């Protein structure tokens, strides 16, 4: 009988009445109790008590009865009209920046066969900390316990807190993402801003349900016709074990890029009516149900131990403690967008998020909206490239003989510089080789660039139009770099033997007709030479498609560099000083900088993605060709403009100083110098740089110090590897050269 009484008492305790969440907090603060004190008394975690006060979770037996008893006694001591005392010992919440209001236009939902998402859009200026809204009730990270050596103390600088997407959209008040971990059997979700949520889900299907119904994760759309970003869950190794997933993939699974369909967790998802996208359950899995009306049901998973975070771009992010990883990815998510895969995939998805292919029409006579083409976007259907723009193996080249090597008159080759030359006698007498690197060079090349939006039109004997994007077959071999125009009526004489040609990646002078993108041909005209195209593939439907993409990535880069102490308005000397060791000031933010740069380069590269396995054979289409964003012409135009921007600065510098580069690799140029600093050879006058030349600064398109080595070092490695034109720009940063680098 006593057992029955105990069961009845437990049942009553499980329904112990509790005051509303706001009243719970008021009563605790009225008695000057801290979250830590209440948590210790109830033998729970600090984050658990905070979750009760925020209304995110409810206490369960046996803690519920004790918590109700405490609140009842406090209510007797402090009625509703009693004054509230400040909580002197509470840990302050991490500052955050509210997101910009989302535009009102809504696009009719489509079936979620391949879900897409976007991110919150902060102001165009660099993000600055601001007070978190009072309703946020964020929970600081729990203190380190003696048994949790993998966690770090809670104190971190506010700039790294990430920026919760809350403030204007309560659907996403807990930020864009969470890192799910397991500690002492308790599943925790670490969000940006230091917020920690208790996760009741016992299986992966229930974790997806909880994320969509209770977690309040995600970000508002980036543009009016776009869609909100789906929530992202990052699963730690402990979380993988908890939910029945392998900590690492087998060799066969790594090659396939996914778990086999027979895995028990995939079967669990199928039984719960959840689906996976075509890429399956891999490092960046997307779990969804078809959209119902305007409601989307999609969650993305990121699994670092399956190499989701490429160490080339994310360094050791995959080994960070959960709270640090949440903050790092949170900064990237808010300033760029919620990661959708690799940095390259995210860079491409950002283009689409900023210019969605369709938009909603005005209501018709029945009050219904329909989907239509969104002006300024690439549309929802792919377009064929011109034959000269197609890479080898493309279906449009099936008529070519097997193993045919296309000549410059048959294929468009717009690539970044890889050029070097021997040092002159005068340069050998100088002690230093100094490398300067263009910040965000490809982003700067995309800024203000007019690109084609539709299919190409073939034109015979066209008149060149520098404002018309396209590919042009033209002979530029007559352009003589020994005499070029640097201003409207100003011509200068240069030593052409010390300059690379602006028309080829290797810097060689063209020998006849070749295909070029519009920026390359326009530069030949700028240098003062006539051009007569033989034929062209031009795009009459065009626009500045990449401007918004550039602006967002530029703002993300500048905001993060400012957090690292490198500001956009620094004088040259202070800028060089600020750049020294900036990565050590906050290693996590330095990883964000690397990821932003990789997003730029990877996004441009994805515009001409090649086959990736798939059982592909030459002449057959590959998966990437089905994307509207498979646009090799846009990639070629960006790279062309980036290379031309570099050459223009080199010519200006040579015309003014008589100094020529000895090596160029993509966005890095190396000069022989009398001193070890860029200021020893860059012409500054009273702090003002040479107009049109190189300028020190953090903004995209300006340059920073890449590295300094001795001339003896440069001549020594060239002699060691018997390579008189070894590209020194590749090794100028740290001076390390290996046999593998030189092909030995």
């Amino acid at each position: 009988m006593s057992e029955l009484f105990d069961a009845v008492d437990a049942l009553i305790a499980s329904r112990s009445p509790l005051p509303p969440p706001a009243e719970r907090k008021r009563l605790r603060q009225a008695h000057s109790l801290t979250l830590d004190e209440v948590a210790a008394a109830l033998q729970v975690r600090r984050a658990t008590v905070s979750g009760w006060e925020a209304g995110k979770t409810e206490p369960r037996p046996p803690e519920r009865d004790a918590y109700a008893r405490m609140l009842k006694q406090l209510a007797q001591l402090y009625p509703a009209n009693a004054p509230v005392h400040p909580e002197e010992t509470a840990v302050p919440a991490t500052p955050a920046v509210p997101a910009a209001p989302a535009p009102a236009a809504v696009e009719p939902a489509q079936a979620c066969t391949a879900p897409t998402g976007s991110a919150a859009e902060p102001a165009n200026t660099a993000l600055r900390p601001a007070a978190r809204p009072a309703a946020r009730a964020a929970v600081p990270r729990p203190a380190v316990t003696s048994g949790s050596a993998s966690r770090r103390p809670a104190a971190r600088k506010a700039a790294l807190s990430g920026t919760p997407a809350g403030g204007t959209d309560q659907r996403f008040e807990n930020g864009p993402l969470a890192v799910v971990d397991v500690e002492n059997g308790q599943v925790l979700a670490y969000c940006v801003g230091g917020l920690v949520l208790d996760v009741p889900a016992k299986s992966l299907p229930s974790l997806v349900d909880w994320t969509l119904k209770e977690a309040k994760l995600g970000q508002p759309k980036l543009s009016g016709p776009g869609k909100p970003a789906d929530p992202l869950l990052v699963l730690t190794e402990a979380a993988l074990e908890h939910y029945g997933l392998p900590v690492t993939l087998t060799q066969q699974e790594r090659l396939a890029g996914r778990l086999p369909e027979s895995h028990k967790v995939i079967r669990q998802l199928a039984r719960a009516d959840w689906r996976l996208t075509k890429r399956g359950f891999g490092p960046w899995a997307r779990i969804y149900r078809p959209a119902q009306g305007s409601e989307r049901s999609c969650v993305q998973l990121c699994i670092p131990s399956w190499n989701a975070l490429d160490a080339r771009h994310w360094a050791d992010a995959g080994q960070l403690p959960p709270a640090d990883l949440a903050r790092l990815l949170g900064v990237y998510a808010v300033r760029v967008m919620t990661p959708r895969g690799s940095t390259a995939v995210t860079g491409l998805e950002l283009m689409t998020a900023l210019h969605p292919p369709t938009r909603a029409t005005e209501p018709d006579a029945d009050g219904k909206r329909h989907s239509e083409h969104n002006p300024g976007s690439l549309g929802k259907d792919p377009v064929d490239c011109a034959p000269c723009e197609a890479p080898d193996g493309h279906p449009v080249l099936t008529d070519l003989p097997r193993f045919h090597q296309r000549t410059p008159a048959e294929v468009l080759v717009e690539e970044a510089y890889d050029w070097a030359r021997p040092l002159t006698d005068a340069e050998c007498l100088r002690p230093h080789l100094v490398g300067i690197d263009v910040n965000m060079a490809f982003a700067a090349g995309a800024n203000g660039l007019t690109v084609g939006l539709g299919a190409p039109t073939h034109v015979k004997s066209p008149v060149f139009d520098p404002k018309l994007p396209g590919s042009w077959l033209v002979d530029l071999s007559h352009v003589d770099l020994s005499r070029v125009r640097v201003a409207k009526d100003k011509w200068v004489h240069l030593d052409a033997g010390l300059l690379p040609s602006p028309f080829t990646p290797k810097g060689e002078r063209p020998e006849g007709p070749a295909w070029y993108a519009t920026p390359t041909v326009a530069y030949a005209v700028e240098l003062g030479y006539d051009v007569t195209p033989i034929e062209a593939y031009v795009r009459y439907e065009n626009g500045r498609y990449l401007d918004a993409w550039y602006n967002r990535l530029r703002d993300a880069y500048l905001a993060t560099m400012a957090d690292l102490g490198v500001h956009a308005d620094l004088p040259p000397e202070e800028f060089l000083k600020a750049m020294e060791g900036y990565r050590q000031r906050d290693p996590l933010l330095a990883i964000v900088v690397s990821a932003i740069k990789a997003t730029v380069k990877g996004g441009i590269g994805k515009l001409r993605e090649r086959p990736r396995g798939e059982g592909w054979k030459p002449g057959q289409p590959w998966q990437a060709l089905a994307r509207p964003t498979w646009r090799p012409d846009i990639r070629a135009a960006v790279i062309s403009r980036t290379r031309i921007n570099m050459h223009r600065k080199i010519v200006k510098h040579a015309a003014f100083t008589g100094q020529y580069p000895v090596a160029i690799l993509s966005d890095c140029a190396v000069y022989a110098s009398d001193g070890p600093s860029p200021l020893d050879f860059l012409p500054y006058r009273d702090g003002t740089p040479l107009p049109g030349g190189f300028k020190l600064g953090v903004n995209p398109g300006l340059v920073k110090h890449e590295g300094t080595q001795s001339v003896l070092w440069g001549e020594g490695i060239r002699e060691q590897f018997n390579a008189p034109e070894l590209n020194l720009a590749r090794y100028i940063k740290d001076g390390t050269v290996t046999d593998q680098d030189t092909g030995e």
Side-chain angles (χ1 to χ4, degrees):
M1 184 66 69
S2 61
E3 293 178 358
L4 293 177
F5 288 163
D6 291 341
V8 170
D9 291 342
L11 181 62
I12 298 300
S14 69
R15 299 295 188 271
S16 297
L18 294 172
E23 179 67 3
R24 302 170 196 174
K25 182 176 182 179
R26 185 193 72 81
L27 291 172
R28 175 179 59 79
Q29 291 180 336
H31 202 61
S32 297
L33 295 175
T34 66
L35 290 170
D36 292 314
E37 290 173 333
V38 175
L42 299 177
Q43 298 181 359
V44 296
R45 296 176 53 256
R46 184 182 192 276
T48 302
V49 178
S50 184
W52 297 344
E53 292 185 354
K56 300 184 183 302
T57 58
E58 289 295 321
R60 305 170 186 171
E63 294 85 8
R64 184 183 179 98
D65 190 37
Y67 188 50
R69 180 183 179 89
M70 181 194 76
L71 294 175
K72 182 178 180 180
Q73 294 180 6
L74 291 176
Q76 294 174 354
L77 293 173
Y78 306 98
N81 58 356
V84 179
H85 301 290
E87 187 178 17
E88 296 177 351
T89 57
V91 179
T94 308
V97 180
V106 178
E107 179 186 14
Q110 301 175 355
C112 190
T113 54
T116 58
S118 56
E121 183 175 15
N124 286 335
T125 56
L127 300 177
R128 296 180 176 86
R132 185 191 303 279
R136 183 74 171 82
V139 186
R141 181 167 47 175
V144 177
T145 62
S146 58
S148 57
S150 64
R151 307 196 186 281
R152 298 182 180 179
R156 301 290 293 177
K157 64 186 296 185
L160 190 58
S161 66
T163 332
T168 59
D169 195 329
Q170 294 304 310
R171 296 175 299 168
F172 314 125
E173 65 173 323
N174 291 336
L177 55 88
V179 179
V180 180
D181 191 33
V182 180
E183 180 181 347
N184 299 326
Q186 176 66 48
V187 184
L188 306 173
Y190 290 80
C191 307
V192 299
L195 176 68
V196 182
L197 304 177
D198 288 314
V199 181
K202 303 299 182 183
S203 66
L204 192 63
S206 61
L207 175 65
V208 176
D209 277 320
W210 172 82
T211 302
L212 293 171
K213 295 177 180 177
E214 301 180 41
K216 296 185 177 181
L217 295 173
Q219 282 185 304
K221 55 191 176 182
L222 275 175
S223 64
K227 300 179 180 70
D230 298 316
L232 172 66
L233 297 181
V234 185
L235 303 183
T236 66
E237 294 183 6
L240 292 174
E241 293 178 342
H242 182 83
Y243 289 114
L245 292 165
V247 172
T248 58
L249 298 178
T250 65
Q251 182 177 2
Q252 183 177 1
E253 291 167 347
R254 284 197 303 271
L255 292 174
R258 65 185 73 186
L259 290 178
E261 297 294 326
S262 60
H263 194 278
K264 63 178 182 179
V265 172
I266 297 181
R267 296 202 304 268
Q268 287 177 3
L269 292 169
R271 286 195 298 268
D273 294 326
W274 288 108
R275 303 182 186 180
L276 294 166
T277 54
K278 291 183 179 180
R279 58 182 168 184
F281 203 116
W284 290 94
R286 297 187 70 80
I287 304 172
Y288 74 98
R289 287 181 180 138
Q292 301 294 327
S294 61
E295 294 297 323
R296 292 169 51 78
S297 299
C298 184
V299 173
Q300 178 160 314
L301 303 182
C302 168
I303 306 177
S305 65
W306 295 5
N307 297 321
L309 301 175
D310 192 327
R312 293 173 299 175
H313 314 313
W314 294 101
D316 60 348
Q319 285 75 51
L320 291 173
D324 284 345
L325 182 56
R327 293 179 174 190
L328 185 155
L329 293 176
V331 172
Y332 179 89
V334 172
R335 292 178 176 175
V336 179
M337 71 179 296
T338 303
R340 295 291 309 276
S342 66
T343 51
V345 169
T346 304
L348 197 68
E349 291 289 340
L350 180 61
M351 297 179 193
T352 304
L354 293 165
H355 287 289
T358 59
R359 67 178 183 182
T361 64
E362 293 297 324
D364 59 16
D366 297 327
K368 294 183 179 179
R369 295 178 182 268
H370 304 277
S371 180
E372 66 177 4
H373 173 69
N374 182 29
S377 75
L378 297 180
K380 62 180 181 180
D381 299 316
V383 297
D384 290 333
C385 63
C388 63
E389 298 164 351
D392 292 341
H394 192 280
V396 302
L397 305 176
T398 53
D399 293 337
L400 291 178
R402 193 178 182 185
F403 305 120
H404 174 72
Q405 296 292 323
R406 291 190 288 170
T407 66
E410 296 174 293
V411 60
L412 175 71
V413 182
E414 293 284 11
E415 300 294 342
Y417 266 131
D418 186 355
W419 169 86
R421 63 170 176 81
L423 273 66
T424 65
D425 292 342
E427 289 168 340
C428 287
L429 296 177
R430 291 177 174 167
H432 302 286
L433 294 172
V434 181
I436 51 176
D437 180 80
V438 180
N439 298 311
M440 301 271 282
F442 293 100
N447 182 29
L449 178 65
T450 301
V451 299
L453 301 178
T457 300
H458 188 211
V459 182
K460 287 284 189 178
S461 303
V463 176
F464 177 69
D465 183 354
K467 296 182 180 179
L468 187 61
S471 300
W472 309 78
L473 180 61
V474 58
D475 188 352
L476 300 180
S477 60
H478 64 290
V479 177
D480 185 4
L481 294 181
S482 63
R483 183 176 183 271
V484 297
R485 185 170 59 194
V486 295
K488 184 176 181 180
D489 297 316
K490 183 179 179 181
W491 291 74
V492 297
H493 293 273
L494 302 172
D495 189 339
L498 302 180
L499 282 172
S501 168
F503 309 127
T504 61
K506 292 293 185 180
E508 301 164 346
R509 186 169 180 170
E511 297 179 351
W515 286 98
Y516 303 100
T518 297
T520 302
V521 185
Y523 186 57
V525 176
E526 178 184 327
L527 292 176
Y529 293 86
D530 294 330
V531 297
T532 306
I534 301 168
E535 61 178 305
Y537 289 90
V538 297
R539 288 172 168 82
Y540 293 109
E541 182 187 356
N542 53 67
R544 293 169 59 161
Y545 174 72
L546 295 173
D547 274 9
W549 182 80
Y550 162 78
N551 289 335
R552 187 159 182 88
L553 289 165
R554 175 204 61 196
D555 292 346
Y557 174 73
L558 292 180
T560 311
M561 290 300 292
D563 289 340
L564 288 166
V566 185
H567 300 276
D569 56 352
L570 292 175
E573 296 84 355
E574 294 184 23
F575 167 72
L576 291 175
K577 185 177 180 181
M579 287 294 294
E580 293 179 4
Y582 77 94
R583 291 182 172 275
Q584 283 67 50
R585 293 177 199 139
D586 200 321
L588 298 188
L589 275 182
I591 296 175
V592 175
V593 171
S594 297
I596 293 171
K597 292 179 178 179
T599 303
V600 173
K601 290 187 176 181
I604 297 298
K606 275 281 184 179
L607 291 168
R608 199 192 67 167
E609 183 177 1
R610 301 302 305 275
R612 304 175 64 186
E614 311 169 14
W616 174 81
K617 295 181 180 179
Q620 296 179 345
W622 56 93
Q623 291 181 6
L625 299 187
R627 294 194 321 249
T629 49
W630 193 84
R631 294 295 301 271
D633 58 299
I634 296 180
R635 173 188 178 273
V638 173
I639 295 177
S640 164
R641 194 161 185 246
T642 302
R643 192 183 66 247
I644 294 306
N645 285 346
M646 172 69 85
H647 196 274
R648 184 181 291 112
K649 290 180 172 61
I650 289 170
V651 167
K652 295 277 187 179
H653 185 86
F656 188 80
T657 67
Q659 298 173 335
Y660 297 83
V662 300
I664 306 173
L665 182 67
S666 186
D667 47 9
C668 175
V670 176
Y671 282 84
S673 172
D674 292 325
S677 168
L679 287 175
D680 291 318
F681 72 92
L682 292 183
Y684 271 81
R685 181 177 296 171
D686 298 327
T688 302
L690 172 69
F694 295 108
K695 178 182 178 181
L696 290 167
V698 72
N699 280 289
L702 306 188
V703 299
K704 64 179 182 295
H705 184 202
E706 179 70 2
T708 297
Q709 304 295 331
S710 69
V711 168
L712 291 177
W713 163 86
E715 291 297 274
I717 61 172
R718 283 179 166 180
E719 182 177 349
Q720 176 184 350
F721 295 103
N722 192 26
E725 296 185 0
L726 182 70
N727 196 329
L728 302 177
R730 193 183 305 275
Y731 317 106
I732 195 70
K733 190 167 189 176
D734 59 12
T736 302
V737 186
T738 65
D739 290 344
Q740 183 178 4
D741 293 330
T742 58
E744 294 294 325

